[in-house]
Amino acid sequence: MKSLWFFEDVNLFTVLCPHKFKTYKKQHTFDAYKKKDYIYFEEDSANKVYLIEKGKVKIGYYNDDGTEVTKAILTKGELFGEKAILGVEKRDEFAQSLDNNTSICPIGVNTMHELMRDNQTFSFKIYKFIGFKFKKLERRLQLLLFKDSKTRLLEFLNELCTEYGYNCEETGNQIIKHPYTQKDIASLIGTSRPTLNVLMNELKDAHIIDFNRKEIRILKKMRNVS
């Protein structure tokens, strides 16, 4: 199964960005954000959806006790704020830039609805994408609630294999070239960075994985783990 964030190997940005549509090209702009800038906050009006031209964006919310929960970390070509398409009027999450050169393509909900009305295939792809995204989020939340840190990490590594991995013909291992920092991964699996470091090194010592800053190698042994 291909990545849940991309469908049919198509980068969403190349399909949805209004500058691809002649009718909307003149009124289209990109918004620039620095690291830690917020694109929107919880309770803001949900009148736009957003596509990432470049950079990285964190989607999250705060529990009643003020604890931050990271729902997703998105990169180039990915869509967020999509609940606005379904008629949700207020944000129930925040979106924050994690890079100093994040560039976002905002799309008004009315514009998106017009594009969907004018193209049935386009509309189908949007709803398909939203359905896949909700399923992935539901699965991740179940892991956070019911699984231990090591299991959550192994499941996340399996997701990375699907989204960013490829087989090395020489070794039979899977190589994952991913956009996440260790801090990002720790946030996504709901653990601390020191705990993640311990877990990663345990898997490395057990010859299950090998890794560096931008690459993780899933060794054949992991196929019998998790």
Side-chain angles (χ1 to χ4, degrees):
M1 185 176 181
K2 295 298 183 183
S3 164
L4 299 185
W5 301 102
F6 292 80
F7 49 81
E8 300 173 7
D9 292 326
V10 176
N11 180 313
L12 285 170
F13 180 82
T14 65
V15 176
L16 306 186
C17 185
H19 80 275
K20 301 290 181 182
F21 298 88
K22 186 176 181 180
T23 307
Y24 303 102
K25 188 171 183 178
K26 291 182 179 178
Q27 65 192 50
H28 173 247
T29 59
F30 290 95
D31 295 336
Y33 296 89
K34 298 295 185 182
K35 189 173 183 179
K36 296 188 178 180
D37 286 349
Y38 283 88
I39 294 110
Y40 57 75
F41 297 93
E42 294 180 68
E43 300 299 323
D44 279 357
S45 295
N47 53 16
K48 294 179 182 178
V49 296
Y50 301 87
L51 284 159
I52 304 173
E53 182 200 13
K54 61 181 179 180
K56 194 159 53 175
V57 173
K58 175 169 67 177
I59 308 297
Y61 64 92
Y62 292 96
N63 285 328
D64 292 339
D65 62 2
T67 303
E68 181 183 297
V69 178
T70 300
K71 294 171 65 175
I73 292 175
L74 309 178
T75 56
K76 180 179 179 179
E78 299 190 85
L79 175 76
F80 62 97
E82 69 284 341
K83 289 181 183 178
I85 298 172
L86 305 178
V88 174
E89 296 181 351
K90 295 287 185 181
R91 304 290 185 192
D92 60 359
E93 61 193 19
F94 66 79
Q96 183 184 32
S97 170
L98 295 181
D99 279 347
N100 279 319
N101 62 344
T102 298
S103 178
I104 303 293
C105 166
I107 310 173
V109 173
N110 291 336
T111 298
M112 181 62 78
H113 285 161
E114 287 176 16
L115 292 171
M116 293 171 71
R117 282 195 298 268
D118 292 343
N119 189 319
Q120 188 174 5
T121 301
F122 175 84
S123 179
F124 172 75
K125 287 183 177 181
I126 291 296
Y127 284 124
K128 182 180 177 182
F129 166 78
I130 292 173
F132 278 155
K133 189 172 181 181
F134 285 171
K135 285 181 181 179
K136 181 174 181 179
L137 177 59
E138 181 181 13
R139 183 166 176 268
R140 178 164 290 161
L141 291 177
Q142 287 176 343
L143 286 172
L144 288 174
L145 289 171
F146 302 115
K147 302 295 182 179
D148 59 56
S149 297
K150 185 175 182 180
T151 302
R152 296 199 299 269
L153 174 58
L154 291 171
E155 290 286 342
F156 182 74
L157 291 175
N158 281 327
E159 285 184 12
L160 288 183
C161 281
T162 301
E163 297 181 14
Y164 300 102
Y166 64 91
N167 289 321
C168 176
E169 294 182 0
E170 293 182 3
T171 64
N173 299 327
Q174 286 193 304
I175 300 174
I176 304 168
K177 292 186 180 294
H178 62 91
Y180 303 120
T181 64
Q182 281 207 352
K183 183 179 179 181
D184 293 339
I185 295 173
S187 295
L188 286 168
I189 68 171
T191 192
S192 66
R193 188 171 176 179
T195 298
L196 173 65
N197 190 51
V198 169
L199 292 172
M200 293 285 284
N201 282 306
E202 285 181 355
L203 293 176
K204 183 175 182 179
D205 291 342
H207 305 291
I208 294 171
I209 67 170
D210 195 8
F211 63 92
N212 56 43
R213 185 177 178 186
K214 288 296 183 182
E215 179 181 295
I216 300 174
R217 288 180 176 262
I218 306 297
L219 309 182
K220 285 191 275 188
K221 186 175 178 179
M222 183 171 167
R223 296 171 188 175
N224 299 318
V225 178
S226 75

